[in-house]
Amino acid sequence: MDSTSQMADFSESNFIQALSLGKTEKTPVWFMRQAGRSLPEYRAIRGVGSILDAVANPSLAAEITMQPVKRYGVDAAILYSDIIVPVHACGFGIDIIPGTGPTTDRPFEGESDLKRLANFDAKTDTGYVLSTIEILKKELEVPLIGFAGGPFTVASYLIEGKPSRNFIKTKQMMYTQPKLFESLLWRLTEITVDFLSAQAQSGVNAIQLFDSWVGALSPREYRRFITPCASEIFSSLSKFNIPMISFGTNTSELLGLFVEAGASAVGLDSNTEITTATKRLGDKVAIQGNLDPVVCLTSVDNIISQARQVLMDSAFAPGYVFNLGHGVLPETDPTKLVELVEFLHQNGEEIRKNERASATLANREEHIK
């Protein structure tokens, strides 16, 4: 299903321009987990059962993808899917349990479990995702973000058998059975490349790699186990010439490694200061982030105040997309996000411009002193 020739051209959109380090007329914004449990219209059509059932229904998945664009006026849509879709499609035996998350009764424990990930063809096994993209290409008036889970994060769900805080089993395998651990990571890398390549061929305008829990690793561990895999993913996707965002939480010390692996943009969690990230990463990579999702549970005045500070912090980022530091919380009032988007569109670039001007003046005065 290669239909890249029919893709809408969003190269001049604020979102793609920001990720490409170009000029933006308005500060682009989208929210991770924006088509999530906080929208009443989502709950109305989502129905019961596993999220994977909804993902496998292209017309439903397309409608859910478009809901936040219609409600919030955000500058990009992210495909309604999940990071375990490919390994579920492999027949590994993993599902998403409401209130718990990805769960399997048969965790990955040894060499024989690699056979449970042996067969995956994105076009055959996840054709419904590609069909969703086909629908969205005809309907969306903003860029579409495709995505996949990063190798460490997906591996942690397979090894732990459920979401984990400490990743004890995962890191035990990494320390005591490094070859087995590497074999799993490389198999997941192959699956991820296939899955993301199929999305790019079908028409997504950018991709994000969600290695959400890779911050559990040290830079040394990341270099050994993850850098080769991430490099393979980004180098394989580079031929599509679309922006590639790398995101993880608690990854302040790993940001440079994200870029070394080939990411063209880096998503920041709420604990990473944008100013620090910009200084570390220089002028060759775009920044995305990073308002604390909890802030969106407070008053609109406070949300706007905190967003203003994020904008000021982002003033010297060579390319900038506003987002949260993680996903929208289920308790979030959607009307507050509508007001946040309006504020960003109306004031974002002026705030960032003024911050650059005042900072330049301050630097000049400091130099004179």
Side-chain angles (χ1 to χ4, degrees):
M1 188 183 298
D2 189 345
S3 51
T4 50
S5 61
Q6 303 173 28
M7 287 172 58
D9 182 11
F10 290 111
S11 60
E12 298 302 315
S13 68
N14 287 312
F15 174 70
I16 297 298
Q17 280 291 301
L19 292 179
S20 304
L21 311 185
K23 182 176 177 57
T24 55
E25 296 179 358
K26 297 180 180 180
T27 300
V29 53
W30 69 280
F31 303 117
M32 288 182 283
R33 206 188 297 133
Q34 62 186 23
R37 292 166 290 171
S38 63
L39 283 176
E41 55 265 43
Y42 167 77
R43 295 192 295 269
I45 68 170
R46 159 75 165 78
V48 297
S50 171
I51 182 179
L52 298 175
D53 295 331
V55 170
N57 182 333
S59 60
L60 177 60
E63 176 59 28
I64 292 172
T65 299
M66 291 186 287
Q67 283 181 341
V69 178
K70 297 174 181 177
R71 168 70 83 117
Y72 300 135
V74 287
D75 298 280
I78 185 164
L79 188 64
Y80 182 70
S81 185
D82 192 87
I83 64 170
I84 71 161
V85 163
V87 291
H88 171 78
C90 283
F92 183 86
I94 188 167
D95 203 347
I96 299 176
I97 306 302
T100 300
T103 304
T104 177
D105 294 331
R106 294 176 56 206
F108 184 97
E109 296 178 340
E111 193 80 26
S112 62
D113 288 317
L114 288 170
K115 297 178 181 178
R116 297 162 63 193
L117 298 167
N119 299 309
F120 178 74
D121 178 86
K123 295 179 180 179
T124 300
D125 299 324
T126 53
Y128 48 85
V129 173
L130 310 184
S131 295
T132 300
I133 295 172
E134 288 294 320
I135 296 171
L136 290 167
K137 282 168 50 183
K138 300 172 184 176
E139 301 291 336
L140 279 175
E141 297 181 357
V142 296
L144 176 63
I145 306 167
F147 72 91
F152 179 83
T153 297
V154 177
S156 74
Y157 287 126
L158 302 187
I159 297 169
E160 303 288 337
K162 59 184 179 181
S164 172
R165 290 178 178 269
N166 300 312
F167 308 100
I168 292 174
K169 292 180 180 178
T170 305
K171 298 181 83 171
Q172 281 179 332
M173 182 178 292
M174 181 179 73
Y175 293 139
T176 63
Q177 299 176 279
K179 295 299 182 184
L180 175 62
F181 187 63
E182 287 176 330
S183 294
L184 173 57
L185 291 177
W186 275 110
R187 180 57 193 137
L188 293 174
T189 296
E190 293 170 352
I191 291 171
T192 300
V193 167
D194 190 6
F195 190 47
L196 287 176
S197 294
Q199 292 180 48
Q201 289 168 357
S202 293
V204 299
N205 306 103
I207 62 103
Q208 178 155 311
L209 186 68
F210 283 91
D211 215 345
S212 303
W213 313 133
V214 77
L217 300 182
S218 69
R220 183 191 302 272
E221 292 163 345
Y222 188 96
R223 287 189 193 95
R224 175 179 175 183
F225 293 102
I226 307 303
T227 293
C229 299
S231 296
E232 176 65 20
I233 292 169
F234 290 128
S235 64
S236 297
L237 270 291
S238 62
K239 63 186 177 184
F240 296 106
N241 295 314
I242 58 176
M244 301 180 293
I245 310 164
S246 184
F247 172 77
T249 58
N250 299 314
T251 54
S252 177
E253 299 303 314
L254 304 179
L255 298 180
L257 297 176
F258 287 1
V259 178
E260 287 179 20
S264 55
V266 174
L268 306 181
D269 71 356
S270 303
N271 295 328
T272 302
E273 292 187 349
I274 296 178
T275 52
T276 300
T278 302
K279 290 176 182 177
R280 287 184 178 182
L281 300 177
D283 60 357
K284 303 299 183 184
V285 62
I287 298 293
Q288 178 178 277
N290 69 339
L291 184 70
D292 187 339
V294 176
V295 169
C296 297
L297 304 183
T298 65
S299 69
V300 171
D301 286 345
N302 189 57
I303 294 170
I304 298 304
S305 175
Q306 296 293 327
R308 182 182 296 274
Q309 184 61 59
V310 171
L311 289 166
M312 293 168 64
D313 290 344
S314 76
F316 287 93
Y320 177 65
V321 174
F322 189 97
N323 207 313
L324 305 183
H326 208 177
V328 175
L329 296 171
E331 302 89 346
T332 305
D333 180 351
T335 62
K336 295 180 178 180
L337 294 186
V338 172
E339 294 193 52
L340 173 58
V341 172
E342 291 176 351
F343 167 77
L344 293 167
H345 283 166
Q346 293 172 9
N347 304 284
E349 288 309 289
E350 181 180 1
I351 291 171
R352 298 180 71 233
K353 179 181 178 181
N354 290 342
E355 180 66 12
R356 287 192 295 271
S358 62
T360 300
L361 177 60
N363 290 343
R364 186 184 305 122
E365 292 176 346
E366 183 65 26
H367 179 71
I368 293 174
K369 293 177 181 178

